[in-house]
Amino acid sequence: DSGVTQTPKHLITATGQRVTLRCSPRSGDLSVYWYQQSLDQGLQFLIQYYNGEERAKGNILERFSAQQFPDLHSELNLSSLELGDSALYFCASSARPGTGAGNTIYFGEGSWLTVV
Amino acid sequence: GNSVTQMEGPVTLSEEAFLTINCTYTATGYPSLFWYVQYPGEGLQLLLKATKADDKGSNKGFEATYRKETTSFHLEKGSVQVSDSAVYFCALSDRDSGGSNYKLTFGKGTLLTVNP
C-alpha cells in the first residue's frame, strides 16, 4: 500500500459526460501528480500541483482540469468525454523537494475510466 | 530534455530463469533512478530505487545498479517466478529547470511473462 488513495476505482460513463476523479496523497506529501495510462499512448504526465498551486503541466487536454485543495487532496475533472479518454488515471504524490524522500513519487492504484 | 529508453518486450522466460531488462537514460542533471512494476489489473508500485552513482537498489530479489559511466540502470533477477509476470517501467526523477520541483520521466515499459 503506497498510501495514495484514489476514488473511484472503476467508472463507466457515456460520451459527452463529465467525471471527477479524486486523490488523497500520502500523509504529509505536498506534491500531487496526475498521469494517464492508455494502451496506445503509454504513461502520460498530465499535471502536477504543489501545496495547492499548479507546478507543471504535461499533455493535459483543455477538456481536463485539476485542482488541489487546502487539505491537499486533489481532483481531476474530465469533461465532454470521448471514447479515446478511456484509460487508467493515476494519482501520485511526493514529499517536499529538498527532503530526503522528495525525489520519490508514489502512485495510487488508479481509476479505471471507460467511456462508452 | 530527459529521456529513458528500456528494452522492448515482450520478454518471455521460464520459471527460475535469469532476468535482465535493460534501461538507459539521458539527463542533464543528477537524477535518481527507479523501477516501477505494474501487475496485471493493478496500479504502479515502486520496486526499487537508487539516488546516486554506484548505488544498488534491491527488493524482492530484484536488483539494479546506478551506472553513471554507462548511463544505465538495468534490472536483474537471478531466478524469476510466475508471480513476477508484470510490466516493468524504468524511470528517472530530476529537478526541473526551476530547481524546485521533481519530474518523473518513464520508459515505455517492458512486459515480462514467466511460464511455469
Side-chain angles (χ1 to χ4, degrees), chain B residues 20-41:
Chain B
T20 299
I21 300 178
N22 290 337
C23 172
T24 57
Y25 68 90
T26 302
T28 53
Y30 299 93
S32 295
L33 301 174
F34 305 84
W35 278 99
Y36 286 86
V37 58
Q38 186 175 27
Y39 298 102

Side-chain angles (χ1 to χ4, degrees), chain A residues 51-66:
Chain A
N51 202 20
E53 294 187 1
E54 183 183 304
R55 185 58 65 95
K57 219 168 194 177
N59 300 321
I60 188 166
L61 300 172
E62 286 190 9
R63 299 183 285 109
F64 297 177
S65 65

Side-chain angles (χ1 to χ4, degrees), chain A residues 29-56:
Chain A
D29 282 359
L30 300 180
S31 282
V32 169
Y33 308 76
W34 287 97
Y35 285 81
Q36 179 195 58
Q37 185 182 36
S38 60
L39 282 176
D40 54 344
Q41 297 288 329
L43 265 168
Q44 298 278 318
F45 167 67
L46 296 179
I47 198 164
Q48 181 206 353
Y49 281 82
Y50 178 80
N51 202 20
E53 294 187 1
E54 183 183 304
R55 185 58 65 95

Side-chain angles (χ1 to χ4, degrees), chain B residues 18-90:
Chain B
F18 184 85
L19 168 71
T20 299
I21 300 178
N22 290 337
C23 172
T24 57
Y25 68 90
T26 302
T28 53
Y30 299 93
S32 295
L33 301 174
F34 305 84
W35 278 99
Y36 286 86
V37 58
Q38 186 175 27
Y39 298 102
E42 296 187 13
L44 276 173
Q45 299 178 25
L46 178 65
L47 181 59
L48 53 85
K49 70 175 185 178
T51 56
K52 61 182 188 299
D54 300 325
D55 268 2
K56 177 186 283 188
S58 61
N59 186 25
K60 299 182 180 179
F62 291 89
E63 292 183 342
T65 301
Y66 190 144
R67 301 285 187 202
K68 197 167 188 295
E69 64 275 14
T70 55
T71 61
S72 65
F73 193 55
H74 304 322
L75 182 68
E76 296 182 338
K77 186 174 185 181
S79 175
V80 294
Q81 306 300 312
V82 172
S83 57
D84 294 327
S85 298
V87 180
Y88 292 82
F89 293 90
C90 184

Side-chain angles (χ1 to χ4, degrees), chain A residues 1-112:
Chain A
D1 182 5
S2 68
V4 179
T5 304
Q6 291 187 246
T7 57
K9 289 195 183 332
H10 298 272
L11 189 57
I12 301 175
T13 190
T15 55
Q17 295 298 304
R18 172 190 169 96
V19 299
T20 297
L21 309 180
R22 194 178 191 280
C23 170
S24 294
R26 294 187 322 150
S27 178
D29 282 359
L30 300 180
S31 282
V32 169
Y33 308 76
W34 287 97
Y35 285 81
Q36 179 195 58
Q37 185 182 36
S38 60
L39 282 176
D40 54 344
Q41 297 288 329
L43 265 168
Q44 298 278 318
F45 167 67
L46 296 179
I47 198 164
Q48 181 206 353
Y49 281 82
Y50 178 80
N51 202 20
E53 294 187 1
E54 183 183 304
R55 185 58 65 95
K57 219 168 194 177
N59 300 321
I60 188 166
L61 300 172
E62 286 190 9
R63 299 183 285 109
F64 297 177
S65 65
Q67 58 184 128
Q68 186 179 27
F69 295 88
D71 66 353
L72 301 178
H73 91 271
S74 177
E75 292 181 354
L76 178 66
N77 300 297
L78 315 174
S79 61
S80 303
L81 285 167
E82 302 174 359
L83 296 178
D85 297 327
S86 295
L88 179 58
Y89 291 85
F90 284 113
C91 173
S93 74
S94 65
R96 180 172 57 87
T99 64
N103 62 359
T104 302
I105 298 175
Y106 295 90
F107 284 76
E109 293 192 355
S111 293
W112 289 91

